[in-house]
Amino acid sequence: MKRKMSVSGAFYPGRAVEIERYFEHFSAIYDEDSVLPDVKSKIVIVPHAGYVYSGYSANVAYRILQKSGAKKFVVIGPSHKVAFEGISLCAFSSYETPFGDVECSDFLLQSLKEQFNLPCVLQAHVEHSTEVQFPFIKHYIEDAEIVELVYSQVEAEALSEVIDYILKQNNCGVIISSDLSHFYTLSNATRLDNICLEAIKKMDTNRLHEGCEACGMTGIEALLISVKKKGLTPLLLDYRTSADASGDMHRVVGYVSACFYE
């Protein structure tokens, strides 16, 4: 069973050549004023809006992942449409993208099933928070293999146990998908988002609960629990809002990308 595209043509272009133009444009703008950090990381936080809004932030993170050497990734995102208990893992054979399919990591699929007995809530995998990551992975990471985890009602500590397990496996990385605050004015959005950014920079889960409104906050919190235990170093890669692309400062969504390294 293939994981079909569900938001192609909406959140990202349906044609590979158009996506490539996005990626080239994002990288060219970044390289004009910045140098890609000299770090090796296989753990990132990335946003999941339409590429026109959040693709720039995500693109920086995937260029970091490209240098990591890791080939197997678990893409973890919140369910936006379907409420259920726990974390869903379905046995997709591959993940469709306009660049071609990303293969499933049979090793991660089977080992996560055996370790955590995760159910498959199939309707939850018509989910943009994870799907928008797949074209980035196919483009930037040659021979990548992935599995998709979509969570709904789950404690951060439980999700962190899954992340701990993944990070113990050889050559495996974690991609946490989350946007930040939604639909505030620009000034209020940046105030709320700064709480999220401070929490990530300090790996402080308590700070997250002091006003951060990330839609994937459970995923961020779970990751912070895991990376803090491993003693990793956080690095914010980019922060921006939808106002940077739209010019609308009255209804703003915030985006961050970050990585963690030894």
Side-chain angles (χ1 to χ4, degrees):
M1 176 173 60
K2 180 184 293 191
R3 203 293 202 180
K4 296 283 191 179
M5 293 182 284
S6 64
V7 293
S8 169
F11 281 73
Y12 57 89
R15 297 196 309 149
V17 65
E18 295 177 37
I19 300 178
E20 282 184 327
R21 287 193 195 116
Y22 267 116
F23 293 169
E24 289 169 3
H25 178 64
F26 295 148
S27 295
I29 293 174
Y30 183 88
D31 292 340
E32 281 180 7
D33 300 318
S34 308
V35 176
L36 204 62
D38 185 20
V39 297
K40 197 169 184 177
S41 170
K42 59 180 184 177
I43 306 166
V44 295
I45 297 171
V46 286
H48 55 237
Y51 284 5
V52 67
Y53 297 110
S54 69
Y56 180 91
S57 300
N59 192 67
V60 182
Y62 282 100
R63 291 177 70 190
I64 294 289
L65 283 187
Q66 187 182 38
K67 299 192 302 175
S68 72
K71 295 293 183 183
K72 296 181 176 66
F73 292 92
V74 179
V75 183
I76 302 174
S79 176
H80 285 77
K81 295 178 180 175
V82 181
F84 60 95
E85 292 285 339
I87 306 163
S88 175
L89 169 65
C90 292
F92 298 115
S93 57
S94 62
Y95 297 79
E96 189 178 39
T97 88
F99 292 118
D101 295 350
V102 183
E103 294 302 314
C104 169
S105 168
D106 292 331
F107 164 73
L108 283 170
L109 176 66
Q110 294 305 323
S111 58
L112 288 172
K113 269 185 168 182
E114 291 171 7
Q115 287 290 323
F116 299 100
N117 193 29
L118 301 177
C120 171
V121 183
L122 190 58
Q123 61 270 33
H125 291 258
V126 184
E127 172 55 50
H128 71 277
S129 69
T130 43
E131 182 178 324
V132 300
Q133 314 305 332
F134 303 158
F136 279 107
I137 294 167
K138 183 65 177 177
H139 178 78
Y140 278 109
I141 303 167
E142 188 177 4
D143 300 326
E145 296 179 356
I146 62 173
V147 296
E148 174 191 32
L149 296 182
V150 179
Y151 64 85
S152 181
Q153 296 161 24
V154 65
E155 295 295 327
E157 290 77 7
L159 184 55
S160 176
E161 289 180 11
V162 176
I163 294 171
D164 288 345
Y165 176 81
I166 297 164
L167 295 179
K168 287 177 184 172
Q169 310 310 309
N170 187 39
N171 205 27
C172 295
V174 172
I175 297 166
I176 296 290
S177 176
S178 180
D179 288 341
L180 300 181
S181 67
H182 285 61
F183 308 136
Y184 291 98
T185 62
L186 179 59
S187 60
N188 281 333
T190 53
R191 177 178 56 80
L192 292 168
D193 293 346
N194 275 329
I195 297 171
C196 310
L197 303 186
E198 286 177 18
I200 293 169
K201 281 193 291 189
K202 297 177 181 176
M203 296 190 290
D204 183 350
T205 56
N206 292 326
R207 183 63 174 145
L208 275 181
H209 292 282
E210 293 174 353
C212 175
E213 294 192 8
C215 59
M217 195 162 88
T218 300
I220 294 175
E221 182 175 4
L223 183 66
L224 294 183
I225 294 169
S226 293
V227 294
K228 190 169 185 177
K229 279 190 291 192
K230 290 179 67 69
L232 301 185
T233 300
L235 176 63
L236 292 179
L237 298 170
D238 188 63
Y239 169 73
R240 63 192 51 237
T241 72
S242 55
D244 289 289
S246 70
D248 180 355
M249 295 185 286
H250 299 288
R251 279 172 60 84
V252 165
V253 180
Y255 313 115
V256 66
S257 59
C259 69
F260 300 83
Y261 62 96
E262 292 183 355

